[in-house]
Amino acid sequence: MTDFCLLTALDLAQLVRTRQVSPLEITQYYLDRLGKYDQTVGSFAHVAWESAIADAKQKTEYLVSLGNSEPLPPFFGVPIAVKDLNCVAGMPVSYGVAALKENLATYDDGVVAKMKAAGFTIVGKTVTSQLGSFPYTEPPGFLPVRNPWHLDHNAGGSSGGSAAAVAAGLVPIAQGSDGGGSVRTPAACCGLVGFKPSRGRVSQAPVGDYQSGIACHGPLSRKVLEAAALLDVMEGYITGDPYWLPSPDRPFLETTGETPGQLRLAYAFSLPPFTSTEAIQGAVAKAIAAAGELGHQLEETCFDVTKLIEPFAQIWKAGVGASGIPLPLLETVNQWLGETSGTAGDYLRGVRDMQVISRHIVGFMEQYEALILPVFNHQPPKVGEWAHLSPPDVVQKIIEWIAPCPPANAAGLPAIAIPVGFDDQGLPLSVQIIGKPAADATVLALAYQLEQQLQGNGPRQLPTQFMP
C-alpha cells in the first residue's frame, strides 16, 4: 500500500484526479492511522468513522461513473479535519466543553460548506482548547493534545488538535481558526505551516462576529502550497459578512509559486517589550539569512506592543461571556476570564484602544512588504506545566509566551508560521511573517520562497514513531 501519509494533500488530490487511487482507499488508510495513533496524541474530539466511509464510497462510485476527462473539485476525495469550534451538520460540536460532547450541530459553517464543495471528506472534529481561549489544548474531559515531535510537550492551541493530527500524519491537512495566534502557535509547536488570512478574507458565516474582527479561519498544512490551495477553498464573501475582501484575480495557489521580487523586509529577534530565548532568536536569524541570500532588503526594526496588551486582553475575556455557556461548566481559568470581563463599556473601550494601536501597527507596515519575527518567545511548555498556577498567573504566562501573535489579529493583517528546523530537544523551530493589509499573496509567496531556500523539495517527514 502507498504511504499516503508522506504525501501532501495536493499529491493525494492528483492521485484521485488521475484515477491512480480511490477516495475510499485514502479515507480508509487515514482512519486506520487514526485508530492506531490518536490515543497517543489526543488530537480528535470525534472521529466520523461511518460518515467518512460513506462519503468516500459515494465519491468512489461517482468516479467510476464519470469519464476520465470530466473535471473534479480541487480536493475531491482528500480527507480533512475540522476544529471543534466549528459546526459540521450531524457531528458533535463541543467547543472544548466536556458537558457539550453530545451536542450535535444542525448546520454547516460557511467555511465547512466550502470545504465540502471542494470535495474534501471530513473525517472528524479536532480538539480545541476550551472556547478556543488558550494557546495550549488541554480541556478538561478530553485527552490533552500532545506534540507529536515530543510527547511530553503540548501541541499549542487553540487549534492544537488540528496541528497534532497533521503533524502525526493522521490527516493530510486541517482547518483551524486564529483569534490571537491559534493557528500559528500550534503550527509552530508542531513544525507545520499555519496561515492566518487578512480580516475579511474568509467568512465567519452563518454566525456573527463578537470579538471585533480579531478571529478568522485558516489552514494548517505541511507545505506552503497546500496552505495556499486550502485558502483558495476557504476564501470569499458570504452574504451579510461584516468585513470582506474581494477574491484575488488569480488563485493563491498560482501566485504563491511565483517569485515575489525584491522585497523590503523588517525583522525582529524579539517583539518589544518582550525578549525571546536564544533558540527562538536563532530561528529568526536563520530565516533572515535565507531572505538576504534571496536578495531581499532587510532592516532590524519593529513596533512595540506594550499598549496593546490590556485592550486585547479585555476583548479576549469578553469572548468567554459572549459564548453564552454558563461559567460553572467551564474550567477555572475560563471562569476567571468570564468573572473579570467587566462591562459592555469596558469591552467597547478595549475595542477603541485596540483599533487606535492597530493604526500604528498598520502605519509601521506601510514602510515594509513584510515583517519577520518569532511566533512565540520560548518553546512550548510541557503538558500540564501550568495547571498548578492561579488563573491570573496562567494568563500572564500566556501573554509572555505568545506576545508576537496578537498584533496581526488586532490589525487584521495576514500572517504565517513556517518551520525552520529543530532545537536540541527535537522540538520544531518556526518563524512568523506578517504582511500589509490584504497582502495575503505576498506573505504566501515569501513564505514559499523561504521554505524552498531552507528546506528544498525533500520528502515529507513525520516524527519517527508515526512513520509508516
Side-chain angles (χ1 to χ4, degrees):
M1 178 182 287
T2 302
D3 292 327
F4 296 131
C5 64
L6 300 180
L7 303 178
T8 70
L10 290 169
D11 293 334
L12 294 172
Q14 180 64 13
L15 288 177
V16 172
R17 192 173 300 112
T18 55
R19 311 308 200 264
Q20 296 179 62
V21 67
S22 74
L24 182 57
E25 289 176 86
I26 297 174
T27 299
Q28 187 63 64
Y29 174 91
Y30 277 102
L31 289 176
D32 289 345
R33 284 186 63 83
L34 271 166
K36 183 176 181 180
Y37 293 117
D38 187 52
Q39 289 297 301
T40 301
V41 292
S43 56
F44 274 77
H46 168 75
V47 180
W49 304 103
E50 294 181 2
S51 64
I53 288 294
D55 181 74
K57 282 183 177 178
Q58 186 178 42
K59 286 184 168 78
T60 299
E61 292 167 0
Y62 176 74
L63 272 183
V64 171
S65 68
L66 199 66
N68 287 342
S69 62
E70 294 294 323
L72 291 170
F75 285 101
F76 190 84
V78 176
I80 195 169
V82 175
K83 183 178 179 180
D84 198 27
L85 288 183
N86 293 99
C87 289
V88 179
M91 292 189 192
V93 55
S94 74
Y95 313 102
V97 179
L100 300 180
K101 280 186 176 183
E102 304 303 319
N103 178 45
L104 289 182
T106 58
Y107 62 87
D108 287 333
D109 278 351
V111 70
V112 171
K114 286 174 178 279
M115 291 189 292
K116 286 183 175 180
F120 281 111
T121 292
I122 297 173
V123 296
K125 306 290 295 298
T126 55
V127 180
T128 175
S129 66
Q130 193 180 81
L131 305 184
S133 295
F134 311 115
Y136 50 86
T137 307
E138 304 170 21
F142 298 80
L143 291 175
V145 182
R146 297 180 179 273
N147 191 321
W149 292 100
H150 198 311
L151 294 172
D152 289 341
H153 289 261
N154 76 62
S158 61
S159 306
S162 287
V166 176
L170 308 188
V171 285
I173 198 165
Q175 172 266 348
S177 56
D178 192 314
S182 288
V183 163
R184 290 161 287 158
T185 297
C189 289
C190 295
L192 302 176
V193 173
F195 184 64
K196 185 207 86 67
S198 294
R199 182 173 299 146
R201 180 68 68 197
V202 180
S203 174
Q204 296 278 10
V207 298
D209 167 54
Y210 57 81
Q211 288 185 301
S212 299
I214 66 172
C216 60
H217 303 290
L220 287 132
S221 62
R222 289 196 171 274
K223 297 291 184 180
V224 174
L225 285 178
E226 293 177 281
L230 183 49
L231 181 61
D232 282 325
V233 170
M234 291 179 165
E235 72 87 23
Y237 172 80
I238 295 178
T239 303
D241 283 345
Y243 326 98
W244 66 91
L245 291 172
S247 294
D249 294 333
R250 296 162 59 208
F252 289 112
L253 177 59
E254 185 177 322
T255 57
T256 295
E258 297 177 351
T259 303
Q262 187 184 66
L263 303 177
R264 187 180 184 202
L265 305 176
Y267 69 91
F269 294 105
S270 299
L271 182 66
F274 303 94
T275 301
S276 301
T277 63
E278 183 177 346
I280 299 297
Q281 293 189 34
V284 174
K286 189 174 180 180
I288 62 175
E293 292 167 1
L294 290 164
H296 298 301
Q297 299 176 26
L298 293 158
E299 181 179 346
E300 185 175 1
T301 183
C302 194
F303 44 76
D304 189 301
V305 297
T306 304
K307 294 182 180 179
L308 178 62
I309 296 169
E310 185 175 343
F312 197 89
Q314 180 63 56
I315 295 167
W316 173 26
K317 289 179 177 182
V320 175
S323 73
I325 297 173
L327 292 183
L329 296 181
L330 303 181
E331 62 177 277
T332 305
V333 181
N334 263 332
Q335 289 183 20
W336 182 81
L337 291 172
E339 290 165 354
T340 60
S341 61
T343 66
D346 294 329
Y347 170 77
L348 292 173
R349 280 188 291 274
V351 171
R352 177 199 62 194
D353 292 346
M354 180 184 74
Q355 291 174 347
V356 169
I357 297 158
S358 294
R359 291 184 185 276
H360 293 287
I361 294 171
V362 174
F364 171 88
M365 292 303 302
E366 287 180 349
Q367 307 169 71
Y368 306 97
E369 298 301 323
L371 167 65
I372 299 173
L373 74 167
V375 179
F376 40 57
N377 290 321
H378 59 78
Q379 290 292 64
K382 291 186 175 181
V383 172
E385 184 173 331
W386 296 343
H388 68 286
L389 299 177
S390 68
D393 287 344
V394 171
V395 169
Q396 186 60 33
K397 288 281 190 183
I398 290 170
I399 291 170
E400 293 172 355
W401 182 32
I402 64 159
C405 281
N409 299 87
L413 301 176
I416 194 168
I418 59 169
V420 296
F422 295 86
D423 69 7
D424 56 10
Q425 297 182 76
L427 284 164
L429 290 167
S430 183
V431 296
Q432 179 180 194
I433 304 169
I434 298 177
K436 294 175 179 286
D440 304 57
T442 300
V443 171
L444 286 163
L446 175 59
Y448 177 71
Q449 192 182 44
L450 289 175
E451 177 185 70
Q452 296 302 296
Q453 186 76 0
L454 292 165
Q455 300 176 24
N457 288 305
R460 172 178 173 172
Q461 293 299 313
L462 299 174
T464 301
Q465 74 180 90
F466 299 104
M467 286 292 287

